[in-house]
Amino acid sequence: MLARALRVGLLATVAFAALCAQVLAGGGRGPWSEWLATFLAAFLALPVLLTVASFAVAALHRSPAPPSARVGPLGYLRCVAAETFWFTVLYWFIQPFPRLVLARENDQRAGERVPVLLVHGFTCNAAVWVWLAPELRRRGHAVFTLTLE
């Protein structure tokens, strides 16, 4: 259910970005680079706004950081940029398509290693484990994921 909703959201975002690019970049009569830049700006507007808003709320309610954990303004901007990038990758390109990114889990044997069940958190599905599950399998574990709807 989440994957379907994310696919609909992705399609709506692409349509919105294309419309913005068409309207704001001269109806496609200008250079293609102008259209593409406008499309990308509109496409990334939502994840950027969501990330900045979450960082702003966190900043309002933060505890004082010890000196060794302070990152400064440039470090803060790098954190926002990294979070925006991974938010976009995870919620627009990985979680909408869990069957494409997750390996088949049939016929795994635990052997001597402990089997691992990975359970996602709120507003996620099994695709959130796209990097961890293969690493655990590489280490010999039988890994199972599930999507709670």
Side-chain angles (χ1 to χ4, degrees):
M1 179 163 15
L2 174 67
R4 184 178 306 129
L6 289 172
R7 286 191 299 268
V8 169
L10 176 61
L11 182 62
T13 303
V14 168
F16 171 76
L19 179 64
C20 287
Q22 194 68 15
V23 170
L24 298 174
R29 292 181 297 276
W32 68 269
S33 58
E34 183 181 331
W35 188 93
L36 182 62
T38 307
F39 175 87
L40 288 174
F43 185 76
L44 293 174
L46 181 62
V48 168
L49 288 173
L50 287 172
T51 305
V52 168
S54 68
F55 270 77
V57 169
L60 287 174
H61 300 286
R62 71 178 182 265
S63 299
S68 62
R70 293 184 185 145
V71 295
L74 185 58
Y76 200 76
L77 286 175
R78 285 197 337 254
C79 288
V80 170
E83 185 69 20
T84 301
F85 174 79
W86 288 113
F87 174 90
T88 305
V89 168
L90 186 62
Y91 282 97
W92 282 355
F93 301 111
I94 292 181
Q95 289 198 108
F97 310 102
R99 291 189 185 111
L100 296 177
V101 299
L102 290 173
R104 299 269 183 227
E105 297 177 341
N106 300 337
D107 298 327
Q108 291 188 79
R109 306 276 189 265
E112 296 178 19
R113 292 298 193 110
V114 175
V116 178
L117 174 63
L118 298 174
V119 181
H120 61 82
F122 189 67
T123 70
C124 293
N125 60 27
V128 75
W129 304 115
V130 69
W131 292 285
L132 182 60
E135 177 60 23
L136 290 170
R137 285 189 188 103
R138 187 184 69 73
R139 294 179 183 203
H141 297 280
V143 178
F144 301 94
T145 60
L146 61 112
T147 295
L148 301 171
E149 299 273 355

